[in-house]
Amino acid sequence: MTSGSVHPGGGDATPRATTLVDRSFGEHSAGYDLSEIRRTDDGHRLRVRIRRDSYQRQSYALVEVLTPGLNWTNLADEPASAWHPATPYRSTTPAPLESLAERLFQRAVVILHAE
């Protein structure tokens, strides 16, 4: 798993299009969660999972790719310290997590298509 947003190797960092396949949002006693699955133009399935807990150490944001063996494999994550303080304690919509999810999807596309 990686963190940060540096694109090593000088490959094409232009984001490719993704298509929404499934999305769920939910609230829990200590925060809220967003899970979203997208398909890339070349057929990869990507899943972003974000859990915003009241405790930063229990929060996470990661992007995974579905392997040919139908297992989810971690590609990248964002440390909670980078996004947790900027999100509200409670939310009834996924809006506070949407830009983070988009950033993770774009990082995954760059990782999958790095030359």
Side-chain angles (χ1 to χ4, degrees):
M1 206 167 0
T2 62
S3 68
S5 58
V6 175
H7 178 65
D12 179 13
T14 305
R16 290 172 170 81
T18 59
T19 303
L20 182 65
V21 174
D22 185 61
R23 185 179 209 205
S24 66
F25 172 79
E27 300 173 74
H28 53 86
S29 62
Y32 44 101
D33 301 312
L34 175 63
S35 177
E36 190 169 316
I37 298 173
R38 294 187 190 177
R39 179 180 39 81
T40 65
D41 286 345
D42 60 353
H44 288 98
R45 297 289 194 277
L46 302 173
R47 176 173 71 178
V48 162
R49 293 188 298 137
I50 304 171
R51 180 174 185 91
R52 202 296 184 184
D53 193 86
S54 58
Y55 294 104
Q56 182 173 303
R57 69 180 178 274
Q58 294 177 187
S59 299
Y60 57 84
L62 57 96
V63 62
E64 304 163 305
V65 63
L66 187 63
T67 67
L70 300 180
N71 295 308
W72 290 106
T73 300
N74 292 341
L75 283 179
D77 66 7
E78 286 273 333
S81 61
W83 57 269
H84 188 273
T87 55
Y89 178 76
R90 291 266 185 228
S91 181
T92 58
T93 72
L97 304 177
E98 288 174 338
S99 64
L100 173 58
E102 188 61 38
R103 188 166 61 245
L104 285 164
F105 278 120
Q106 295 308 317
R107 285 182 57 203
V109 168
V110 168
I111 290 167
L112 290 171
H113 299 95
E115 307 252 341

